[in-house]
Amino acid sequence: MRIYKEKDYEAMSRRAASIIAAQVILKPDCVLGLATGSTPIGAYKRLVKQYKKGKLDFSAVRTVNLDEYKGLGAGDEQSYINFMNENLFSHVNIAKENTNVPNGLNKDAAAECARYDKVIADMGGIDLQLLGIGNNGHIGFNEPAKSFADGTHMVTLEEGTREANARFFSSLDEVPTAAYTMGVGSIMRAKMILLVASGKAKAQAVKDTVSGPVTPKVPASVLQLHPNVVLVGDEDAMSLL
Ligand code: PGA
């Protein structure tokens, strides 16, 4: 694991954006695995800026997002498809048909998960997977569990995760209780993984990820087994390393 300890959120975002930009430049038709949440927003802003300056071209890039709330779709402000449109897709020249997010409106969980696994397989796998990390060590919505899940599956969100995400909703009651998420297996098959972390609340999860036992109780700890992981964090997130 290569580790970059950056001074603050801005520096972390700059470093993460430069790694993603390098991937797009080196392989213009790359498959990017993308993440939502507060942490990657600064990196997405920088990618948009670089695109607007003519330094990046997303016309052949394909994307696959980690997860989506069950029950939310593009018409819902808090859906992850909406997040991606607002923070990245609508501001760069990516073809919308080349972007993929699990369909939270599909009530048939088995069908949706199988469809999404096929989307990933048909793309030939993921070149670079961007990941945030939950306070509990989750990646995507792979919550602490008894075993690592391989493919896309439906999860029940932990109360702590719902509370952490309630800031995006008008009340905790509105936060969905379930989500569709890419599995740990799909994440681990990415050629390269870029894990970003910011803030004191992530410090313990980051420490457990880097130096704790590999256990599904801390899903991100599995990244110790991946040959090409870059962790970019700010000083607060890295304070326990
Ligand atoms: P955050 O979420 O970037 O909003 O902290 C990360 C995550 O829960 O994976």
Side-chain angles (χ1 to χ4, degrees):
M1 193 179 287
R2 265 175 299 152
I3 300 179
Y4 291 99
K5 183 173 175 178
E6 302 292 349
K7 192 168 151 289
D8 54 19
Y9 181 80
E10 288 307 308
M12 179 207 71
S13 301
R14 202 176 311 125
R15 173 78 66 183
S18 71
I19 293 169
I20 299 166
Q23 172 70 82
V24 172
I25 289 165
L26 288 171
K27 188 177 177 191
D29 62 347
C30 64
V31 176
L32 297 180
L34 296 177
T36 52
S38 309
T39 316
I41 290 177
Y44 291 150
K45 279 207 175 99
R46 283 186 158 69
L47 292 174
V48 170
K49 233 190 221 168
Q50 289 183 39
Y51 162 73
K52 289 196 168 148
K53 283 186 186 160
K55 291 183 177 165
L56 276 182
D57 176 11
F58 289 87
S59 60
V61 170
R62 295 163 295 153
T63 69
V64 63
N65 258 78
L66 283 167
D67 45 16
E68 178 62 280
Y69 290 113
K70 187 160 189 275
L72 299 193
D76 297 294
E77 211 183 312
Q78 296 85 0
S79 68
Y80 286 169
I81 173 72
N82 189 56
F83 174 101
M84 290 311 302
N85 287 334
E86 291 207 340
N87 286 288
L88 185 66
F89 299 154
S90 299
H91 307 291
V92 297
N93 66 335
I94 196 160
K96 282 279 164 72
E97 62 271 23
N98 285 346
T99 68
N100 297 279
V101 179
N103 178 8
L105 296 180
N106 190 348
K107 291 193 175 126
D108 184 341
E112 181 53 24
C113 295
R115 182 194 73 80
Y116 208 64
D117 281 342
K118 188 168 181 316
V119 164
I120 300 168
D122 288 350
M123 286 176 145
I126 298 164
D127 290 300
L128 186 158
Q129 177 66 56
L130 175 63
L131 294 178
I133 183 168
N135 299 346
N136 61 3
H138 74 204
I139 45 177
F141 270 138
N142 290 279
E143 298 281 42
K146 291 207 177 87
S147 61
F148 293 114
D150 182 34
T152 307
H153 57 289
M154 192 179 99
V155 286
T156 302
L157 300 179
E158 283 202 344
E159 273 319 289
T161 297
R162 293 183 65 242
E163 282 160 17
N165 290 4
R167 66 193 192 277
F168 298 113
F169 293 80
S170 35
S171 73
L172 178 60
D173 286 348
E174 279 184 29
V175 184
T177 53
Y180 294 138
T181 184
M182 210 188 266
V184 170
S186 308
I187 292 169
M188 288 293 281
R189 283 187 286 277
K191 290 188 190 131
M192 177 182 179
I193 291 174
L194 172 57
L195 176 64
V196 290
S198 170
K200 274 247 163 8
K202 303 292 172 68
Q204 187 64 47
V206 167
K207 180 175 183 232
D208 293 345
T209 296
V210 173
S211 57
V214 175
T215 166
K217 289 186 189 139
V218 182
S221 65
V222 77
L223 300 177
Q224 291 176 31
L225 304 180
H226 193 285
N228 193 5
V229 177
V230 180
L231 163 61
V232 183
D234 62 16
E235 278 178 3
D236 283 344
M238 311 293 241
S239 56
L240 297 180
L241 288 189

